[in-house]
Amino acid sequence: MNVELLLTCYFYTAMGLCGFGLLDRFVRLIMVGLPRHTRAAIELVDAPSPPSFGTIAKRLLLGPALHFHYKANRIWTLGCTLYHLAILLTVTGYVVATGILLSKIAGGVAIPDFHRPMPGGNSLAISNLLAFIFGNAEKFPSQFLFGSWAAFFQAIAWFDLPLAVMGNGCLLYTVLRRQVGSIRHRLDDAMIEKQLRGQFSGQRLFVRLMIFSIILAEFIGRMGWMPNIAYYHAVLALSLIAALPFTYLVHIPLSPLAAWLAIWRRRRNAIA
């Protein structure tokens, strides 16, 4: 079985696992997370007026990081900040590349073979499209997708790479040191001498190692050391997508819904 066929089969398998897993998580979140019995909070005499959306968003997004995570474990907080910035840039590149690729297909533009470009060729195989998406920072796909903007996107990709290495390295350090969830600095005056050692997380170790594998594949592809590395890059990315509903990474697709539920509760004074 060649790499292209394997990648195509793996794509449908990963998407199926991810889809069924997310549907299950979504249903459970709706059943458990919907606010109930909150009318009293807004119908009390002299009930406080609901906070503004900006105030709620600040409490929801910045509150935990500033009041707990930064104080509890600064190495983890630094890694989390750098890592999420890198992920934001990387995923933006994937999304832009996907959008451009689909627009070219819709416009009737021939899609060349990722590794064997030939005049007049048009390869719409799933494996070829995935190689363009996940290998968009490499020279040929970048020029095909972004045209005159290729140098800009490649520069952003090189800026993103050290952020990913440093951020993921800090997070991997906390996992290997069994500091997941640890409190290494005092949170307030009541916890001057209180520290929690934290714990080891197999899920987080798996994700961190997978991310480092993707970073390595990305670097090798940009350097041109291995012609088919974009296919393996795609396999690694699809593996994370398949595992997403069954690990803590499920917070990524469900975070908009969870944020909406949290804002809904706070708007109705169901949460102080």
Side-chain angles (χ1 to χ4, degrees), residues 5 21-22 37 48 54 57 75 80 95 100 104 112 135 160 191 209 211 226 230 234 236 266:
L5 180 58
L22 285 180
H37 309 298
I75 294 178
C80 194
V95 171
I100 293 176
K104 287 180 178 294
D160 163 69
M191 296 187 66
L209 294 178
I211 294 296
M226 187 174 176
L236 292 169
R266 284 168 171 79

Side-chain angles (χ1 to χ4, degrees), residues 40-108:
I42 60 174
E43 294 179 353
L44 293 172
V45 177
D46 296 328
S49 58
S52 66
F53 180 84
T55 300
I56 294 175
K58 181 179 179 181
R59 292 176 184 173
L60 183 65
L61 299 177
L62 297 181
L66 295 177
H67 297 300
F68 178 78
H69 296 300
Y70 175 72
K71 296 179 180 180
N73 192 331
R74 292 170 186 173
I75 294 178
W76 185 90
T77 304
L78 174 64
C80 194
T81 302
L82 296 177
Y83 168 74
H84 280 88
L85 179 58
I87 286 294
L88 180 63
L89 293 174
T90 301
V91 172
T92 300
Y94 292 159
V95 171
V96 172
T98 302
I100 293 176
L101 197 60
L102 292 177
S103 67
K104 287 180 178 294
I105 294 174

Side-chain angles (χ1 to χ4, degrees), residues 127-248:
S127 58
N128 191 58
L129 301 181
L130 290 174
F132 270 99
I133 293 171
F134 292 107
N136 67 80
E138 298 181 28
K139 184 176 180 180
F140 168 67
S142 181
Q143 292 174 345
F144 174 75
L145 292 171
F146 307 125
S148 60
W149 287 86
F152 172 77
F153 278 93
Q154 288 177 332
I156 293 296
W158 279 113
F159 172 75
D160 163 69
L161 203 61
L163 291 179
V165 172
M166 291 186 292
N168 200 57
C170 290
L171 296 177
L172 180 60
Y173 172 83
T174 61
V175 173
L176 296 178
R177 295 278 295 176
R178 298 178 179 270
Q179 294 179 2
V180 176
S182 65
I183 298 178
R184 301 185 55 80
H185 305 278
R186 71 175 189 175
L187 299 179
D188 49 38
D189 293 338
M191 296 187 66
I192 293 179
E193 298 180 356
K194 184 66 175 178
Q195 291 188 357
L196 294 179
R197 187 174 184 275
Q199 60 185 356
F200 175 80
S201 172
Q203 282 189 21
R204 294 180 182 273
L205 178 61
F206 166 76
V207 172
R208 300 277 71 84
L209 294 178
M210 288 291 292
I211 294 296
F212 263 127
S213 299
I214 291 175
I215 293 172
L216 180 61
E218 182 82 12
F219 179 74
I220 292 175
R222 294 180 196 178
M223 298 301 294
W225 293 343
M226 187 174 176
N228 294 328
I229 193 65
Y231 293 135
Y232 298 102
H233 184 172
V235 168
L236 292 169
L238 290 174
S239 298
L240 277 184
I241 293 174
L244 187 146
F246 312 104
T247 64
Y248 72 96

